[in-house]
Amino acid sequence: MRLTTKGRYAVTAMLDLALHAQQGPVSLADISERQGISLSYLEQLFAKLRRGSLVTSVRGPGGGYQLSREMTDIQVVQVIDAVNESVDATRCQGLGDCHSGDTCLTHHLWCDLSQQIHEFLSGISLADLVNRREVQEVALRQDMRRANGRAPQLEKIEASAIE
């Protein structure tokens, strides 16, 4: 089972946005600084999240992004789906050609696991994550680190990795 960087970073960025939503629109530069995700990568992710109707953009001074609806109404699986990510435990992307062009012995087991993961992520909203004590502790640490001028190292992510 593999969830790629694209899906992980999309969920991380959306959670950061949700955690800072009460402060108004959140800039991608702020998310980039707090989460150590390159700004150009975030721009690509948020274009997909906007097309998926999960965020809206606010232009002008003090602009940025905000959630398009309440945190309770945005499920983790919607974020992953919006960036064209799949949670697939099969080696054949569910096509059933995993054993020399035919279905392998364990194909249906891995399909069932993929479905269970999808259902699990469907049951978790951004609000559920925001309300977790450990998430709040990490967010506080990140905000304090930023206030003290120590930002995390940005990872080098190629723009082509999004496609």
Side-chain angles (χ1 to χ4, degrees), residues 9-61:
Y9 282 0
V11 172
T12 298
M14 287 290 286
L15 182 54
D16 184 286
L17 183 63
L19 284 160
H20 296 91
Q22 74 281 1
Q23 301 164 1
V26 178
S27 76
L28 293 184
D30 288 345
I31 295 172
S32 173
E33 187 177 335
R34 280 190 294 267
Q35 302 308 322
I37 304 170
S38 80
L39 184 57
S40 62
Y41 198 74
L42 283 172
E43 288 168 348
Q44 294 175 54
L45 288 174
F46 272 75
K48 290 178 182 263
L49 294 167
R50 193 176 65 245
R51 283 192 298 272
S53 301
L54 296 177
V55 297
T56 57
S57 60
V58 177
R59 295 188 181 271

Side-chain angles (χ1 to χ4, degrees), residues 14 17 48-56 66-69 73-83 126:
M14 287 290 286
L17 183 63
K48 290 178 182 263
L49 294 167
R50 193 176 65 245
R51 283 192 298 272
S53 301
L54 296 177
V55 297
T56 57
Q66 54 194 20
L67 299 175
S68 64
R69 51 189 183 261
D73 297 330
I74 299 176
Q75 308 304 314
V76 171
V77 78
Q78 293 172 312
V79 175
I80 293 168
D81 288 345
V83 295
L126 288 180

